[in-house]
Amino acid sequence: MRSASIAFFFNVGSRYEPEEISGVSHFIEHMLFKGSQQYPSAKAISDAIEGVGGNFNGSTGKELTNYTARVPGEYLSVVLQAMADMIRRPLFDPTEVEKERGVIIEELSATQDDPQEWVNLLADEVMWPGLPLGRDDAGSVEVVSRLQRQQMLDYLGTYYRPNSLVLSIAGNIDHEQVIAQVKQLFEDWEPADHPLWTESFPPRGVSPVRMIQKDTEQTNICLATLGAAYASSDYYPLLLINGILGDGMSSRLFQSIREEQGLAYDIGSYINSYYETGSLVVSAGVDPSRASAAVRAIIAELTRLRQEPVPADEMQRIKAYVRGGILLGLEGTQQMASWLGSQECLYNRVWNVDEVIAKVDAVTVEDIQRVARNCFAPEWRRLAIIGPDSPHRVEQFNRLLMGA
């Protein structure tokens, strides 16, 4: 490879935040790009990285915050120095804080202009109501409007420590040179205690349907069910279940609901996995008059996985599909740096590709049915809907979820 990729992973995200400062992790992530001691403005940081042909970004999740860059290999040391400075010595200039506050509020408002994105956030809310995993990673307009600079600096000082950080670098690099530079940049950084998050299991016996009425052409649906933690023995069966259900054009949901029944133009599924819990979410955009039929058809596919063993030929196909996705997803330096860094953060070890593929291959038909019976039980079904449908239909959708 001619490129090198850098990924800084911090073991902190939105689930670590008290509700009164929710969104602070995301706000900090934005501010780290706005100037540091050696690079005192956003333009100075951009020039240092883009000026040598690189690109860079950051993202905030529930459990991790990461800062990444991809550069021509010969400029790795230049970019590593710039990123180290922005991470260790950010300025948090008060004027920039206020400017970025406005940007983030616009970002939060824009989400509500995109019902497809908004309904996915609503699905988390209905799965984990009142819990950190149910909140938008960026917080809320109300909380972001009143977050104080000192609160950000206190949070930064608590969580941005060397014992909270994994630095992952992949590509055209000299290992010994990287080690030497990292020591020079970071060895004087003092560790500190790292507070943990609170457990966030999906509650039982809560209202399973959330509806928001909005004048849209389509009704946007997310049907969520119980998932699995990323270290759980159920994780790999669930990965295959997701492939069977809604990952790709040969999946059951795509074939049945779009191709055969014509109920949705856009339909698919994905999984969220965290330390102790997770969810599987089916998302679809449907004609408002066919929302009930689409929900009923989705539940039929979930029920089919609970009741009928997956045929051997379909099992072979989905394993090949998942294996291919893993292998093809690791062909770039950025993907490799992310693979290594996120695993070290989440598992305290790196699984090699052969180990992961062996876990995929070890999943049996019985595993699939056992996990489906547990995760797709009616008591775990949750539904988020944004569209022209009247919220008065909540009870009707509630009955549909229960299979009535």
Side-chain angles (χ1 to χ4, degrees), residues 11-18 62-64 132-133 135 155 159 194-201 229-230 274-277 345-346:
N11 268 114
V12 66
S14 60
R15 72 173 309 180
Y16 286 77
E17 303 163 351
K62 307 287 187 196
E63 296 179 338
L64 298 176
L133 288 179
R135 295 197 299 247
Y155 194 86
Y159 288 102
H194 186 300
L196 293 177
W197 39 262
T198 53
E199 287 184 335
S200 198
F201 292 105
Y230 48 73
Y274 306 112
Y275 184 83
E276 81 283 36
T277 184
C345 266
L346 298 175

Side-chain angles (χ1 to χ4, degrees), residues 88-324:
R88 290 198 60 187
R89 288 173 281 274
L91 295 179
F92 279 80
D93 178 272
T95 303
E96 292 297 328
V97 169
E98 293 311 312
K99 280 165 45 178
E100 207 57 30
R101 189 191 309 278
V103 169
I104 293 168
I105 289 171
E106 283 301 309
E107 182 182 340
L108 287 164
S109 301
T111 299
Q112 298 192 2
D113 291 334
D114 183 348
Q116 282 186 310
E117 184 178 355
W118 192 8
V119 77
N120 285 278
L121 295 175
L122 198 64
D124 286 345
E125 284 183 27
V126 77
M127 196 76 197
W128 289 282
L131 296 170
L133 288 179
R135 295 197 299 247
D136 185 345
D137 296 336
S140 66
V141 171
E142 180 187 4
V143 175
V144 169
S145 297
R146 63 171 187 259
L147 270 176
Q148 299 299 305
R149 176 179 182 271
Q150 190 57 50
Q151 290 175 305
M152 297 179 213
L153 293 175
D154 291 344
Y155 194 86
L156 184 84
T158 299
Y159 288 102
Y160 278 61
R161 293 287 182 167
N163 49 310
S164 307
L165 171 65
V166 169
L167 172 54
S168 177
I169 302 175
N172 183 11
I173 62 174
D174 181 305
H175 183 78
E176 296 306 322
Q177 284 181 11
V178 170
I179 296 296
Q181 186 181 10
V182 168
K183 281 186 177 179
Q184 178 252 319
L185 292 170
F186 294 102
E187 67 181 351
D188 64 334
W189 200 6
E190 293 294 325
D193 288 340
H194 186 300
L196 293 177
W197 39 262
T198 53
E199 287 184 335
S200 198
F201 292 105
R204 298 171 185 260
V206 296
S207 177
V209 180
R210 285 285 305 278
M211 294 183 69
I212 292 176
Q213 191 166 17
K214 190 174 176 67
D215 186 18
T216 56
E217 293 295 319
Q218 283 190 318
T219 293
N220 298 276
I221 294 170
C222 274
L223 197 160
T225 71
L226 190 64
Y230 48 73
S232 165
S233 59
D234 290 346
Y235 176 80
Y236 287 96
L238 198 72
L239 195 64
L240 292 176
I241 286 171
N242 181 59
I244 292 166
L245 266 178
D247 189 0
M249 288 190 285
S250 56
S251 65
R252 289 184 178 184
L253 288 170
F254 192 92
Q255 287 297 313
S256 170
I257 292 172
R258 176 182 159 144
E259 298 295 284
E260 294 171 17
Q261 300 180 63
L263 288 172
Y265 170 71
D266 179 38
I267 187 159
S269 66
Y270 60 90
I271 56 174
N272 297 306
S273 287
Y274 306 112
Y275 184 83
E276 81 283 36
T277 184
S279 64
L280 182 144
V281 182
V282 176
S283 63
V286 303
D287 184 285
S289 67
R290 312 193 78 183
S292 296
V295 170
R296 195 176 289 110
I298 292 166
I299 290 172
E301 291 300 336
L302 300 180
T303 303
R304 181 180 163 201
L305 272 168
R306 297 183 77 215
Q307 294 177 349
E308 300 175 16
V310 176
D313 60 339
E314 187 177 15
M315 193 73 166
Q316 286 181 334
R317 181 193 63 76
I318 204 62
K319 284 184 177 182
Y321 180 78
V322 170
R323 286 195 303 265

